C-alpha cells in the first residue's frame, strides 16, 4: 500500500499535531524508564533465585512475590527495597496506559490517523505517530522515498558495476522506524494472510526473523499496490 494519504500535505505542524507528538515523546521516555526498572527488578530477584519468563505480562507475578511476606526467599531488607522498585514500575505502567488512552482518543478524532491504520501492521500508536510527525507527505514522490527517509531501505555498495545491498541505513526518524518494525513483527506473529504470502514464506527460509520484519516494514510502506 502506498504511504501517501489524502490529508497529509505541505505545511508546519498544527498545535494538535505538536501535542500528539509530545504525548508520543513522553510515552517513549516512560517506556524506557519502565524497561530499565523491570530489568533491575528481574536482576535483583534472580539473585535470590526468583525467576519468571520474559515479557511485561509476567511482571505482575514478580511484583506479587515481592509483596508476599510469606515468601521466605526474600529477606525483609531486600523486600523493602524491591517494593520501592515495584511501586515505581506500577506507577510508570499507569502513566503509559494513560498516555496510550490519550493517543487512542486523538486517533479516533483524526481522519488521517484512521486511514493510516488501515495499512497492515499499523495500529493507533503507529498511525498517530506518523500523522503527528509527517506534515509534508506530498514531498515524497513515492512510498519508497518515505521508506528511505525512515532508513528502512538497505545501503547500496557498487563495485565493478555490480550493486550489493547491505543492512538498512538507519538514518531518519528512529522512533517511527522502530514502531514500524515492531508493527511488522506483530503482523508476522498474528496475521495468517501475511504468513501465507509466498514472498514472506520464501524470505523466512533465507533470513532471520528480524530481517524479515524489516523487509516487511519496507515492502508495506514502499511498494505500490500494497
Amino acid at each position: 500500500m502506498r504511504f501517501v494519504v489524502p490529508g497529509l500535505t505541505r505545511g508546519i505542524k498544527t498545535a494538535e499535531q505538536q501535542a500528539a507528538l509530545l504525548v508520543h515523546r513522553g510515552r517513549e521516555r516512560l517506556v524506557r524508564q519502565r524497561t530499565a526498572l523491570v530489568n533491575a527488578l528481574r536482576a535483583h530477584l534472580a539473585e535470590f533465585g526468583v525467576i519468571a519468563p520474559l515479557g511485561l505480562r509476567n511482571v505482575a507475578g514478580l511484583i506479587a512475590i515481592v509483596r508476599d511476606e510469606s515468601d521466605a526467599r526474600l529477606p525483609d531488607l531486600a523486600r523493602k527495597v524491591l517494593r520501592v522498585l515495584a511501586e515505581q514500575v506500577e506507577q510508570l505502567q499507569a502513566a503509559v496506559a494513560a498516555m496510550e488512552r490519550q493517543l487512542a482518543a486523538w486517533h479516533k478524532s483524526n481522519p488521517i490517523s484512521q486511514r493510516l491504520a488501515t495499512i497492515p501492521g499499523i495500529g493507533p500508536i503507529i498511525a498517530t505517530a506518523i500523522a503527528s510527525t509527517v506534515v509534508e507527505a506530498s514531498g515524497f514522490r513515492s512510498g519508497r522515498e518515505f521508506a528511505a527517509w525512515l532508513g528502512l531501505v538497505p545501503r547500496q555498495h557498487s563495485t565493478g558495476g555490480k550493486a550489493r545491498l547491505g543492512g538498512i541505513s538507519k538514518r531518519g526518524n528512529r522512533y517511527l522506524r522502530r514502531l514500524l518494525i515492531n508493527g511488522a513483527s506483530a503482523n508476522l506473529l498474528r496475521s495468517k494472510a501475511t504468513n501465507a504470502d509466498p514472498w514472506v514464506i520464501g524470505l523466512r527460509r533465507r533470513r532471520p526473523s528480524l530481517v524479515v520484519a524489516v523487509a516487511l516494514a519496507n515492502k508495506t510502506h514502499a511498494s505500490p499496490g500494497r
Side-chain angles (χ1 to χ4, degrees):
M1 182 177 291
R2 292 184 184 276
F3 164 73
V4 178
V5 175
L8 286 177
T9 57
R10 291 183 182 276
I12 61 174
K13 289 184 179 69
T14 66
E16 286 189 0
Q17 285 176 308
Q18 290 282 17
L21 192 56
L22 178 60
V23 177
H24 271 281
R25 289 170 178 165
R27 175 184 174 275
E28 182 184 22
R29 183 177 295 275
L30 293 181
V31 167
R32 287 201 302 264
Q33 293 175 358
R34 181 183 65 186
T35 300
L37 278 171
V38 167
N39 289 341
L41 186 64
R42 284 183 177 279
H44 293 322
L45 284 169
E47 293 174 357
F48 295 97
V50 179
I51 299 173
L54 295 176
L56 191 61
R57 63 183 179 278
N58 297 308
V59 174
L62 292 176
I63 292 176
I65 292 172
V66 169
R67 288 182 171 148
D68 183 3
E69 295 185 2
S70 65
D71 194 318
R73 290 175 294 180
L74 298 180
D76 289 341
L77 184 59
R79 192 184 304 279
K80 290 178 181 178
V81 176
L82 294 173
R83 275 180 179 169
V84 174
L85 296 181
E87 288 172 0
Q88 289 180 341
V89 169
E90 289 179 329
Q91 290 171 3
L92 286 170
Q93 286 178 321
V96 169
M99 289 188 176
E100 288 178 348
R101 287 193 295 271
Q102 292 172 358
L103 290 173
W106 193 81
H107 170 71
K108 290 179 180 178
S109 67
N110 188 283
I112 300 168
S113 182
Q114 291 179 46
R115 286 196 290 271
L116 286 165
T118 63
I119 299 173
I122 290 188
I125 296 295
I126 301 177
T128 54
I130 296 175
S132 61
T133 301
V134 181
V135 292
E136 294 190 8
S138 58
F140 299 108
R141 290 176 295 181
S142 66
R144 185 164 183 79
E145 271 200 2
F146 174 63
W149 177 73
L150 288 172
L152 278 171
V153 297
R155 291 188 296 265
Q156 295 189 19
H157 309 279
S158 298
T159 55
K162 184 178 289 187
R164 299 177 183 275
L165 299 180
I168 60 174
S169 64
K170 295 186 179 179
R171 296 177 180 176
N173 192 304
R174 289 180 294 177
Y175 179 62
L176 281 180
R177 183 173 60 249
R178 184 171 68 252
L179 287 179
L180 289 169
I181 292 173
N182 288 343
S185 297
N187 195 18
L188 287 167
L189 285 173
R190 301 170 187 169
S191 174
K192 294 181 179 179
T194 298
N195 286 291
D197 188 328
W199 178 82
V200 172
I201 294 172
L203 193 59
R204 273 184 155 165
R205 290 171 180 166
R206 307 189 306 272
R207 299 292 185 182
S209 298
L210 181 57
V211 174
V212 176
V214 172
L216 180 61
N218 180 15
K219 185 177 177 68
T220 299
H221 304 93
S223 299
R226 286 189 65 87

